[in-house]
Structure formats: C-alpha cells, structure tokens
Amino acid sequence: RASDLVRGMSSLDRDAFTQTISVPAVRVPVRVLNKVVKSLKKSSIQRPGVPRVVQDTEENADYRLVLLDPHRVTSPTSFSEAEAEALRSFGVPEELHHYELKLTYENLKSEEVLEAVLPQGQDVTSGFSRVGHIAHMNLRDHQLQYKNLIGQVIMDKNPGVTCVVNKTNIIDSTYRNFQMEVLAGEENMVAKVKENGLTYKFDFSRVYWNPRLSTEHERVVQLTKWGDTVFDVFAGVGPFAIPAARRGANVLANDLNPESHRWLQHNCKLNKVEKKVRTFNLDGRAFIQGPLREELPALLKEKVRVHVVMNLPALALDFLDAFRGLLHQEPQCEENLPTVHCYGFSKDDDPDTDVVKRASQSLGFPLEKLCSVHFVRNVAPNKDMLCVMFTLPKEVLYSTEAQTGETGS
C-alpha cells in the first residue's frame, strides 16, 4: 500500500509514493535457483518493476534471495504442501529471511495509486476505452477534482497512451460525437486504430467510434457474401462498410456528419476498397429515399442479396418508416427482399419485445414472428443495445401509404 501521506493529493508527486517495506524471502543456492523460482511461482512477489530474485544480503556469491509475497507468506507454514516438498527436495531450508525492499511509484498499479490518493470509501475508476493513443475516460462527479492527476496516472501506467480525455457530455449532438476535455498529454485527437485486421484513422473528438463494437461489426459483416450489396445508412468512419467491401460486397455508405464522411473516404483508400464503396453525406432518411430507393429496383430484379445496416441505436428505429411505400413498381418483387439490421437501445424489462414493438410501429407492420433480436451489449445499468434483423416486408416496401416523416433527424 502507498503511504497515507498521499491521500488527497491533487497534483501528482511521484516521489511521495516511495517507501521501504520488509518482505519475506528464502535463501537459495544458485545451482537450484531456476527450479526453486519455478516451484514458488504462486508465492513469489509479483509487482511491476520488482525483481523476484536479488543478491544475497550476506553477499555470498553462491546464494540468492527469492522474494515472497508478504500477503501470501507470513511464516514457513504458509507454503503449500507442494512448495514445501519442492524446497526440501532442492535442499533449501524453509526458513524465512527479511529483505528491505524499496518501492516507488513505478512499482504501483494505476488502481493502487488512485486508491491511495482519492478519499477513502470512494470508488476508484481506472477503466477507460482505448482508441489508438487516446485513453477515453468517463469520470464521475466526485472524481473531477482529481481529474488531471487521474489522467497523468493512466498515461504513466499504460504504454502507448499519450493522451487522456474525459467525456464532458453524453452523445446527444446531431453528429454523435462527445464533447471532450484533455486531462493529460498531447492534444492530438487524430487516432489510428486496428479492428478485425483493418486500419481506421479519424479525429476522435469529431466523429463517433466505439472500440467495444468490434465483435458486432464482425458478426454482421460475416453475414454478407461476395456480390451482395450493402446500404450502410449511418456508416460513421466505415467499421461495417469497409470490411463488407473487403469481403466482396458492393457498398453504398452514408453519414450525415461531414467529418465522418471525410474520414470514411480516407479509410476506404487506406484499406484499398475505394472502388467498392460509394460514399454519401446525407441525412439517413434522405439516403433511404434517395440513393437506396434509386438502386433497389434493379438489384431486386437481378436477384442481388441486399443488406441495410442502420447502426444509430438512439434513433435508428424511428427511421424505419422511411421504407413505407418506398417502391411503386409493378409487378411487386416477392422474393430476395432486403435484410435490415436495425439497432436500438432499450431500458425496458423485456428489451427484445420492446425493440420489436417499436420497429413494428415505425414500419406500420407487425414484425413479431418475422424477425430475430441479437443482444449486442449492456451500455449502462438497465440499458441494453440490441439489433433487430428482419426481411423488409413487401407490404411495407410497396405500401401505398406515404412515409410520415415525423421522426427524422
């Protein structure tokens, strides 16, 4: 544990964490040292930057001291049966020596530093989302007076992190990007990340990116095949569109945010799929009723498999009414209708039923037995993110009822 003197520190003083503690050790002949270290793996000291083996305090070149974890080993009887047997077989006395070990800030983990500094009894947040060189935190109110210290500790303890930011409001702007405050490090918000073998570059302060969605991106992309067409209504910087294009799909990708659209184009080039992806900078509803509506009749006629991805969980369900009466062609296409993957949040006790009900209301058609719901992740207490997948009903696509347009963004 760090010294109590650091409690309440608001500006990081690394030297204040230096202390000397007494730890147990066993004296081991050099000739059996490696075997003993292996046998005592569970009991030996495990601390960042602290050696398990040190010079013998009696300066005998034939011996070394193996340092033990003081929480695990308090007396010779603390060794497990197997450890005691191993010591006996190697001729090492089960006698404990004491070694004065100097511990510094470098030897402490981030949560240990923060536990020592923040007021006792308060929960410690050392968790963050990693986006390239950026650590993205979501601090609670009681931690804000220590925000710069917390940022510095996170940067110190995580190699490769050179910028720590805190979210200062929820994603409620038109373009889904956070307002952020830099807590520590450089103010460089242009991140480069790898996801599922592909590279994405973007300004994290001006676009939406969630590193916790990589499994979901991969799941949906795996449902596409070579020659399919994918309409990505809320494409962001391309985490669905680009891997789908790499699998051989033809992609039309759209985002309302001009900054997302710019980085989407950049990432298409970066991953060499710019010839497979057409990009648009439109409102989601305008994209459905424009490019999607124009392309769809020929695709249905040619029996091309079509996917529509709608990943804007806060609003996407409300955009489904844009499909009502989208096409008026005769004869109507009965088969090969588009597969829709629409995301939504739910705080309901029965989230699956809730998102299906809301999707049905928006479409003006009951989906209850015509869709599947995939749980994506829990985003907050009592708030789930889900994906509703269904074949767009012909009764909706060829409906004579016009779109209401009341729920657009």
Side-chain angles (χ1 to χ4, degrees):
R1 285 182 52 195
S3 160
D4 289 338
L5 299 174
V6 302
R7 179 83 58 203
M9 178 190 288
S10 57
S11 180
L12 185 60
D13 175 6
R14 295 173 182 82
D15 292 339
F17 291 87
T18 301
Q19 59 179 320
T20 301
I21 61 166
S22 181
V23 297
V26 284
R27 195 161 178 255
V28 179
V30 171
R31 59 186 169 75
V32 291
L33 183 62
N34 288 344
K35 291 175 180 173
V36 171
V37 168
K38 207 170 179 182
S39 301
L40 296 181
K41 204 171 183 181
K42 287 183 180 172
S43 293
S44 58
I45 200 162
Q46 292 180 32
R47 194 125 282 284
V50 172
R52 289 186 197 173
V53 177
V54 295
Q55 293 292 330
D56 180 29
T57 46
E58 294 174 24
E59 296 186 1
N60 186 329
D62 294 332
Y63 287 85
R64 296 286 186 275
L65 291 180
V66 176
L67 304 185
L68 305 170
D69 182 345
H71 294 293
R72 281 179 169 272
V73 181
T74 53
S75 73
T77 58
S78 303
F79 292 116
S80 69
E81 194 78 36
E83 289 171 334
E85 179 56 41
L87 290 174
R88 285 193 291 273
S89 69
F90 297 130
V92 177
E94 291 172 53
E95 176 192 346
L96 294 185
H97 298 254
H98 288 278
Y99 181 80
E100 297 300 300
L101 178 67
K102 182 181 175 184
L103 283 180
T104 68
Y105 171 79
E106 276 67 39
N107 307 131
L108 296 169
K109 297 168 187 168
S110 56
E111 54 270 25
E112 291 170 331
V113 173
L114 297 178
E115 270 169 23
V117 169
L118 297 184
Q120 253 174 325
Q122 287 191 359
D123 61 318
V124 173
T125 297
S126 58
F128 57 87
S129 293
R130 178 83 182 257
V131 181
H133 66 284
I134 301 166
H136 170 229
M137 305 195 78
N138 190 4
L139 296 181
R140 308 227 171 94
D141 288 345
H142 68 265
Q143 297 162 333
L144 291 176
Q145 70 184 96
Y146 303 98
K147 62 187 179 183
N148 299 111
L149 178 142
I150 293 171
Q152 192 60 56
V153 171
I154 294 300
M155 202 162 75
D156 288 347
K157 299 296 179 183
N158 294 277
V161 170
T162 57
C163 172
V164 183
V165 299
N166 184 42
K167 180 172 78 169
T168 57
N169 75 350
I170 55 173
I171 314 177
D172 59 356
S173 67
T174 310
Y175 299 147
R176 291 196 293 172
N177 50 316
F178 298 108
Q179 292 295 310
M180 292 183 201
E181 177 186 15
V182 176
L183 304 182
E186 59 179 338
E187 291 204 30
N188 171 20
M189 291 291 166
V190 177
K192 200 171 187 178
V193 303
K194 277 265 192 193
E195 182 180 278
N196 301 325
L198 297 169
T199 304
Y200 300 88
K201 194 175 179 183
F202 48 84
D203 183 335
F204 185 53
S205 67
R206 301 184 68 187
V207 306
Y208 179 79
W209 178 270
N210 190 335
R212 295 189 176 97
L213 292 177
S214 63
T215 304
E216 180 60 13
H217 295 150
E218 189 169 34
R219 182 188 74 84
V220 173
V221 168
Q222 293 290 334
L223 300 173
T224 67
K225 293 187 170 62
W226 192 93
D228 289 1
T229 292
V230 175
F231 293 94
D232 193 350
V233 185
F234 311 106
V237 299
F240 284 109
I242 290 168
R246 281 293 286 262
R247 277 176 70 87
N250 296 302
V251 180
L252 287 82
N254 172 71
D255 204 276
L256 176 63
N257 181 350
E259 195 71 12
S260 294
H261 179 251
R262 186 168 76 81
W263 287 110
L264 170 63
Q265 290 178 316
H266 178 88
N267 291 325
C268 286
K269 288 179 184 142
L270 194 61
N271 292 285
K272 300 181 171 55
V273 294
E274 67 270 30
K275 289 179 181 166
K276 299 284 286 181
V277 182
R278 277 185 279 164
T279 64
F280 300 84
N281 181 205
L282 300 168
D283 168 75
R285 191 177 300 283
F287 176 70
I288 292 169
Q289 295 174 351
L292 192 153
R293 175 193 240 159
E294 289 158 19
E295 298 283 332
L296 196 52
L299 294 169
L300 296 178
K301 194 175 178 183
E302 291 163 21
K303 295 194 167 29
V304 173
R305 277 174 27 120
V306 175
H307 295 265
V308 181
V309 180
M310 301 175 71
N311 181 25
L312 181 64
L315 293 171
L317 292 167
D318 295 337
F319 278 77
L320 289 173
D321 69 348
F323 290 104
R324 293 190 196 181
L326 195 66
L327 301 184
H328 305 292
Q329 71 184 52
E330 296 289 341
Q332 294 180 4
C333 180
E334 297 278 335
E335 54 191 61
N336 205 51
L337 292 163
T339 301
V340 178
H341 311 265
C342 187
Y343 291 82
F345 291 134
S346 178
K347 293 182 176 179
D348 199 90
D349 290 340
D350 185 352
D352 289 31
T353 303
D354 174 52
V355 290
V356 173
K357 183 181 172 187
R358 284 155 56 206
S360 300
Q361 285 170 344
S362 190
L363 278 174
F365 188 85
L367 287 176
E368 277 70 20
K369 292 180 181 172
L370 303 171
C371 66
S372 63
V373 179
H374 176 78
F375 171 80
V376 179
R377 58 185 287 262
N378 178 253
V379 294
N382 306 314
K383 185 178 180 182
D384 291 340
M385 178 177 172
L386 305 110
C387 178
V388 187
M389 185 176 86
F390 59 92
T391 299
L392 191 61
K394 68 177 191 305
E395 292 87 348
V396 173
L397 191 58
Y398 299 107
S399 165
T400 53
E401 182 190 340
Q403 304 90 357
T404 63
E406 290 166 3
T407 51
S409 69

